[in-house]
Amino acid sequence: MTEPQQVDHAQHGYIGHKDDYLRRLRRIEGQARGLQRMVSEEAYCIDILTQVSAMTKALQAVSLGLLEEHMNHCVVNAAQESDDAGKEKVDEAMQAIARLVKS
Amino acid sequence: MTEPQQVDHAQHGYIGHKDDYLRRLRRIEGQARGLQRMVSEEAYCIDILTQVSAMTKALQAVSLGLLEEHMNHCVVNAAQESDDAGKEKVDEAMQAIARLVKS
Amino acid sequence: MTEPQQVDHAQHGYIGHKDDYLRRLRRIEGQARGLQRMVSEEAYCIDILTQVSAMTKALQAVSLGLLEEHMNHCVVNAAQESDDAGKEKVDEAMQAIARLVKS
Amino acid sequence: MTEPQQVDHAQHGYIGHKDDYLRRLRRIEGQARGLQRMVSEEAYCIDILTQVSAMTKALQAVSLGLLEEHMNHCVVNAAQESDDAGKEKVDEAMQAIARLVKS
């Protein structure tokens, strides 16, 4: 599932928003640390669950953002290259979408 | 949604497995850092999405574990105290479950 | 997973709202027929997906309703009977919740 | 969100498998009727929830199938037509995917 090293980076759709994704992932990392603090301090279970749901939603938003940029770049470029290349990228994207829908 | 300070901590079901939850949350924090590394190094979008799905699944397992211990302790104890106390805890748990199902 | 025949029906929480659940399930059956009509008439894929999402949400609301009544009746009653009976019903409910969260 | 009437039907990816989708949707309609029977006969709540989860999974599989054919046809064709047409179809597909992920 990993692309060859010599790939043209221009096709990675999210690169233009790298800083935005890094900022969101740092915030998510902070939420994971906040959850550890809550467990250490024996916070109320329901309050912890509320924070876990917020963190899951933040991760889901990151996924949908990355997927959109992937489709707008990698999938569209592949389709313009050839039908087969397009189909291959769609198959790969569909596997990622199925994992998202089921997780 | 926060319980009064003087709550009997014995009813927080997860306390007996605090170390286990802390270990799982530290691993999740590590996954958030791993994702930042992947974005910094401009990893392939689909590979990042695969890691986000794994992290979401790990968070979901933490939620289901916390919820089970909450139900076995707080909800069962409240039900044994009175019908009203049981109903109140069930309502609160259902709101958390609805957030989990929708997130 | 099926209860013994001689079960006290009073504990089935949803019985008091049987007509409401039947009405909602008939509407969901109608949505399934509507989807067949859309496919027969070769409707646009995205419009079909929108209807499938609406139907999934309706089913999810039925699940959460049934679960809430189950917890308020079967789980609370079992907890009041004994710790073991309560724990058994919580285990069973948690399996249903895990299926809901993952589906 | 509805396409113009004069659309080229060839681009509706699922048309080639219309009978398969109709069969699956008829089975889902049957599941909705089975659920009504269970409620009428006052079946055990957890057994009803198990059937609702099975029906939700069947609907989810229909969604993912329709989406895959949509992407392989409508999205790929639009991308081959022009960048703008591709982007428009990706935007529309992403909205459907976001609804799927959240439902």
Side-chain angles (χ1 to χ4, degrees):
Chain A
M1 204 158 289
T2 320
E3 281 203 324
Q5 302 291 46
Q6 71 278 24
V7 66
D8 174 12
H9 272 147
Q11 82 174 336
H12 286 358
Y14 68 87
I15 303 294
H17 303 101
K18 224 166 120 168
D19 287 346
D20 178 42
Y21 282 106
L22 286 173
R23 195 165 31 241
R24 288 158 79 178
L25 290 168
R26 265 196 302 272
R27 204 179 310 135
I28 288 167
E29 185 194 337
Q31 287 176 296
R33 266 196 303 273
L35 283 169
Q36 291 168 61
R37 204 159 36 236
M38 289 180 93
V39 169
S40 289
E41 295 171 358
E42 310 192 350
Y44 184 45
C45 348
I46 294 291
D47 292 339
I48 302 180
L49 285 174
T50 302
Q51 290 310 309
V52 176
S53 288
M55 192 174 156
T56 307
K57 271 201 186 313
L59 269 174
Q60 207 175 63
V62 165
S63 294
L64 289 171
L66 286 170
L67 183 66
E68 178 163 16
E69 307 205 57
H70 178 68
M71 302 238 293
N72 267 321
H73 293 79
C74 313
V75 175
V76 164
N77 289 354
Q80 290 173 343
E81 200 186 295
S82 76
D83 277 4
D84 279 357
K87 201 181 154 14
E88 203 182 299
K89 285 293 177 199
V90 166
D91 282 353
E92 190 188 51
M94 279 309 305
Q95 288 171 31
I97 292 166
R99 275 192 300 268
L100 270 182
V101 169
K102 284 166 191 168
S103 72
Chain B
M1 207 156 291
T2 320
E3 281 201 322
Q5 301 291 47
Q6 70 278 25
V7 66
D8 174 12
H9 272 148
Q11 82 171 339
H12 285 359
Y14 67 87
I15 304 294
H17 303 101
K18 225 167 120 167
D19 287 347
D20 177 43
Y21 282 105
L22 287 173
R23 197 164 31 238
R24 289 158 79 178
L25 289 168
R26 264 196 302 271
R27 204 176 311 135
I28 288 167
E29 186 195 336
Q31 288 176 294
R33 265 196 303 272
L35 282 168
Q36 290 167 61
R37 204 158 35 235
M38 289 180 92
V39 169
S40 290
E41 295 171 357
E42 310 192 352
Y44 184 44
C45 350
I46 294 291
D47 292 340
I48 302 180
L49 285 174
T50 302
Q51 290 309 310
V52 176
S53 288
M55 192 173 157
T56 307
K57 270 201 187 312
L59 268 175
Q60 208 176 61
V62 165
S63 293
L64 289 172
L66 286 170
L67 183 66
E68 177 162 18
E69 309 207 56
H70 177 67
M71 301 240 291
N72 268 320
H73 292 79
C74 314
V75 175
V76 165
N77 289 353
Q80 290 174 343
E81 201 187 295
S82 76
D83 277 4
D84 279 358
K87 200 182 154 16
E88 204 182 296
K89 285 293 178 197
V90 166
D91 281 354
E92 190 188 51
M94 280 307 306
Q95 288 172 31
I97 292 165
R99 276 192 299 266
L100 271 181
V101 169
K102 284 166 192 167
S103 74
Chain C
M1 207 157 290
T2 320
E3 281 203 324
Q5 300 291 47
Q6 70 278 23
V7 66
D8 175 11
H9 272 145
Q11 81 172 339
H12 286 0
Y14 68 87
I15 303 294
H17 303 102
K18 225 166 119 167
D19 287 347
D20 177 43
Y21 281 106
L22 286 173
R23 198 167 27 242
R24 289 158 78 178
L25 289 168
R26 265 196 302 272
R27 206 178 307 135
I28 288 167
E29 185 194 336
Q31 287 175 295
R33 265 196 303 274
L35 283 169
Q36 291 167 61
R37 205 160 34 238
M38 290 180 92
V39 169
S40 289
E41 295 171 356
E42 310 191 352
Y44 184 44
C45 349
I46 293 291
D47 291 340
I48 302 180
L49 285 174
T50 302
Q51 290 309 310
V52 176
S53 288
M55 191 174 158
T56 307
K57 270 201 186 312
L59 269 174
Q60 206 175 64
V62 165
S63 293
L64 289 172
L66 286 170
L67 183 66
E68 177 163 18
E69 308 207 56
H70 177 67
M71 301 239 292
N72 267 320
H73 293 79
C74 313
V75 176
V76 164
N77 289 353
Q80 290 174 345
E81 201 187 295
S82 76
D83 277 4
D84 279 358
K87 201 183 154 13
E88 204 183 296
K89 285 293 177 197
V90 166
D91 281 354
E92 191 188 50
M94 281 308 304
Q95 287 172 31
I97 293 165
R99 276 192 299 267
L100 272 181
V101 169
K102 284 167 191 167
S103 74
Chain D
M1 207 156 292
T2 321
E3 281 201 326
Q5 302 290 48
Q6 68 279 22
V7 66
D8 174 13
H9 273 148
Q11 82 173 338
H12 285 0
Y14 68 88
I15 303 295
H17 303 102
K18 224 167 121 168
D19 287 347
D20 177 43
Y21 281 106
L22 285 173
R23 197 165 29 241
R24 289 159 79 177
L25 288 168
R26 265 196 302 272
R27 205 178 309 136
I28 288 168
E29 186 194 337
Q31 287 176 296
R33 267 197 303 274
L35 282 169
Q36 291 168 61
R37 205 159 34 237
M38 289 180 93
V39 169
S40 289
E41 296 171 357
E42 309 192 353
Y44 184 44
C45 350
I46 294 290
D47 291 341
I48 302 180
L49 286 174
T50 303
Q51 290 309 310
V52 176
S53 289
M55 191 174 158
T56 308
K57 272 201 186 311
L59 269 174
Q60 207 175 62
V62 165
S63 295
L64 289 172
L66 287 170
L67 183 66
E68 178 163 17
E69 309 206 57
H70 178 66
M71 301 239 293
N72 267 320
H73 292 79
C74 314
V75 176
V76 165
N77 289 352
Q80 291 173 344
E81 201 186 296
S82 76
D83 276 4
D84 278 358
K87 199 181 154 15
E88 204 183 297
K89 286 293 177 197
V90 166
D91 281 355
E92 191 188 50
M94 280 309 304
Q95 287 172 32
I97 292 165
R99 276 192 301 266
L100 271 181
V101 168
K102 283 167 192 168
S103 74

